[in-house]
Amino acid sequence: MSSMLTHAVRNLPASSAWAARTFARSLSCSPQLQASAQPKSKKSLAKSGVKNIVVVEGVRIPFLQSGTSYADLMPHDLARAALQGLLNRTSVPRDVVDYIVYGTVIQEVKTSNVAREAALGAGFSDKTPAHTVTMACISSNQAMTTGVGMIAAGQCDVVVAGGVELMSDVPIRHSRKMRKTMLTLNRAKTLGQKLSLISKIRPDYFAPELPAVAEFSTSETMGHSADRLAAAFCVSRQEQDEYALRSHSLAKKAQDEGLLLDVVPFKVPGKDTVTKDNGIRPSSLEQMGKLKPAFVKPYGTVTAANSSFLTDGASAILLMSEEKALAMGYKPKAYLRDFVYVSQDPKDQLLLGPTYATPKVLEKAGLTMADIDVFEFHEAFAGQILANLKAMDSDWFAQNYMGRKAKVGAPPLEKFNNWGGSLSLGHPFGATGCRLVITAAHRLKKEGGQYGLVAACAAGGQGHAMIVELYPQ
């Protein structure tokens, strides 16, 4: 597969030329480009006999680098803060919420159903059902679409969806030998049986099983996959560093201009109030170029500077049927329209979810790339996102791997992640999807567009894409 992907780049743009074009377009956008990028259709995507589901509001507590201000908390503390931030911003009565669903990836064993614990902590009634889902980096996407399905089916009118991740304190287990011995010891009835079991414990039993962001099916980290994907699509180290710098620069600009409207302050117990993301750090290409490869050494191109960092954070989004929202006096921000989930080879195509999901969701909605005003794609690694853009712009890849007659085309950079992305804002695995959706809604309003396309890759070789339509102003 890897060699075949490498062969595919013969039909792709040259790396140096692509990098120059990409970076130049990322820094400026002429009025002529903006005018040519306007959607061809302004028809609503409403469907006869199908409920309109709207986003009333979405918030997130600041996304922080792991090991900083949230280090002493638990995941449900972060999720509770996001829920409370949503309640404060919308003033929605707690008893109006029919259901709560949260996404997470690395579960805290004490609060395995973190949605329920966070809901109770935020003051929701113990009569309000809540459950937790997991789908790697698209866990909160799954939470949102679960809510969409509940509302569309008439089971609920109001659903709160969200996601949370606390990478500062991930579970570390005893070795399997030690766990087995301890469980057996717990069942021992006599002192002799207990002493006999204890005597069998050896020093190697105490070696812990350390967590790793790795694929169970391949035993390979996502960083290794990103490095191989970048190599297969000829994405150079310079391209990756340029894109990462673009992400941090745009995020800093959006933060300084007050565009990150979804961020709500969080008073950390015993510490100061956190008001903004702390991973936005524009550097220079010279400084970034000094970093050594993080995964494939010594020749890899993925580094700490062009990868998303381990992040703590939580998000929450209020979904309603349009009728319910209007009856309660809310002005929705956006409609959630068509969405798809995809899966592919978890080794060589681990992070190509957006490439596979984008054409499917466009076809489902009856749109083309030219109709989309705003793109919000998850940035796991700069190499990953650039490989996706090249794959989407390759007829060869479309024909040989996707069963399509022609490429869907790459999103124009002047419409792409204009307020930064996961590389700069952070990536709490379970919480990122909600950030993408609410950012798309805010950008549509600010930039004057109608359709947004949200897409993300996920561990396990899966992906998600959704169409967001601006609510009539």
Side-chain angles (χ1 to χ4, degrees):
M1 172 67 186
S2 182
S3 61
M4 294 179 73
L5 283 178
T6 303
H7 173 74
V9 302
R10 295 176 184 173
N11 292 303
L12 298 176
S15 296
S16 58
W18 192 94
R21 184 173 71 253
T22 296
F23 196 55
R25 286 199 300 171
S26 73
L27 296 179
S28 65
C29 177
S30 68
Q32 291 80 9
L33 277 176
Q34 290 178 330
S36 64
Q38 290 304 306
K40 297 177 181 178
S41 170
K42 287 294 182 180
K43 292 176 62 177
S44 174
L45 297 180
K47 297 178 182 178
S48 177
V50 178
K51 280 190 177 183
N52 285 326
I53 290 106
V54 297
V55 174
V56 173
E57 184 61 273
V59 304
R60 62 183 177 90
I61 60 173
F63 287 176
L64 304 186
Q65 292 182 326
S66 63
T68 57
S69 295
Y70 300 156
D72 296 326
L73 302 179
M74 292 179 66
H76 74 284
D77 294 318
L78 306 189
R80 179 182 67 233
L83 288 173
Q84 290 173 331
L86 185 67
L87 292 170
N88 292 338
R89 180 166 288 188
T90 63
S91 299
V92 63
R94 288 174 174 83
D95 59 1
V96 169
V97 176
D98 299 311
Y99 208 98
I100 298 171
V101 55
Y102 252 71
T104 195
V105 179
I106 302 178
Q107 294 186 340
E108 163 61 55
V109 294
K110 292 181 179 179
T111 57
S112 58
N113 186 3
V114 70
R116 176 66 167 170
E117 303 305 333
L120 293 173
F124 284 90
S125 166
D126 57 10
K127 307 300 182 187
T128 304
H131 81 272
T132 302
V133 298
T134 188
M135 203 173 180
C137 301
I138 52 176
S139 292
S140 64
N141 305 66
Q142 182 60 251
M144 285 186 286
T145 57
T146 297
V148 168
M150 289 176 143
I151 297 172
Q155 297 296 311
C156 304
D157 285 317
V158 182
V159 173
V160 172
V164 63
E165 213 69 50
L166 182 70
M167 297 303 295
S168 291
D169 183 29
V170 297
I172 298 176
R173 304 197 300 178
H174 279 290
S175 68
R176 191 178 188 94
K177 291 179 180 178
M178 191 63 169
R179 298 199 307 271
K180 185 176 180 180
T181 300
M182 293 171 72
L183 290 171
T184 306
L185 184 64
N186 192 50
R187 296 193 297 269
K189 296 181 179 180
T190 67
L191 178 61
Q193 290 174 332
K194 293 179 180 180
L195 291 175
S196 176
L197 287 167
I198 292 174
S199 69
K200 295 178 181 178
I201 296 176
R202 298 292 179 265
D204 66 311
Y205 282 31
F206 293 96
E209 291 183 0
L210 298 176
V213 185
E215 296 296 302
F216 180 80
S217 59
T218 65
S219 299
E220 188 174 67
T221 67
M222 284 187 286
H224 278 89
S225 294
D227 235 322
R228 188 171 58 254
L229 195 65
F233 283 93
C234 289
V235 181
S236 69
R237 167 74 179 269
Q238 182 177 349
E239 285 180 281
Q240 294 174 59
D241 287 351
E242 287 175 347
Y243 184 86
L245 178 58
R246 173 189 189 268
S247 182
H248 280 274
S249 299
L250 291 176
K252 184 67 167 64
K253 183 174 184 291
Q255 189 178 66
D256 290 347
E257 293 179 359
L259 299 178
L260 305 181
L261 300 174
D262 55 333
V263 178
V264 292
F266 176 25
K267 175 63 175 71
V268 180
K271 298 183 180 180
D272 293 335
T273 298
V274 180
T275 60
K276 62 182 181 179
D277 308 316
N278 71 359
I280 304 173
R281 297 179 180 181
S283 181
S284 68
L285 291 176
E286 181 182 6
Q287 289 298 113
M288 295 168 73
K290 295 178 181 179
L291 295 184
K292 295 181 179 180
F295 301 98
V296 179
K297 303 174 182 180
Y299 303 114
T301 57
V302 175
T303 71
N306 56 43
S307 307
S308 58
F309 49 87
L310 296 179
T311 314
D312 301 333
S315 56
I317 199 163
L318 181 59
L319 307 177
M320 293 186 184
S321 63
E322 183 179 22
E323 296 84 355
K324 183 69 172 182
L326 296 179
M328 293 186 66
Y330 289 110
K331 178 66 179 294
K333 291 181 178 292
Y335 295 106
L336 294 187
R337 298 303 194 187
D338 293 285
F339 62 87
V340 298
Y341 288 92
V342 297
S343 61
Q344 58 279 341
D345 170 23
K347 186 174 183 180
D348 291 307
Q349 298 188 17
L350 177 72
L351 304 173
L352 283 180
T355 297
Y356 282 86
T358 296
K360 288 188 175 182
V361 80
L362 287 172
E363 289 172 358
K364 194 173 183 182
L367 300 175
T368 68
M369 290 290 277
D371 294 317
I372 304 301
D373 304 290
V374 161
F375 294 87
E376 282 294 325
F377 279 30
H378 165 44
E379 303 168 348
F381 303 89
Q384 161 262 328
I385 200 69
L386 295 178
N388 271 273
L389 297 186
K390 288 193 174 186
M392 293 169 71
D393 207 30
S394 168
D395 284 318
W396 189 94
F397 189 84
Q399 292 162 6
N400 288 274
Y401 287 96
M402 302 175 66
R404 303 181 60 82
K405 294 181 179 179
K407 65 187 181 184
V408 66
L413 263 291
E414 63 268 16
K415 298 180 180 181
F416 193 83
N417 290 12
N418 284 356
W419 295 355
S422 305
L423 291 173
S424 49
L425 299 172
H427 175 38
F429 300 147
T432 291
C434 289
R435 179 191 68 77
L436 296 172
V437 166
I438 197 63
T439 299
H442 286 156
R443 281 187 57 202
L444 286 170
K445 182 177 181 180
K446 177 72 174 179
E447 298 171 14
Q450 181 170 349
Y451 301 131
L453 196 158
V454 169
C457 63
Q462 301 188 101
H464 172 258
M466 175 186 283
I467 300 296
V468 178
E469 181 181 341
L470 181 70
Y471 197 82
Q473 300 301 298

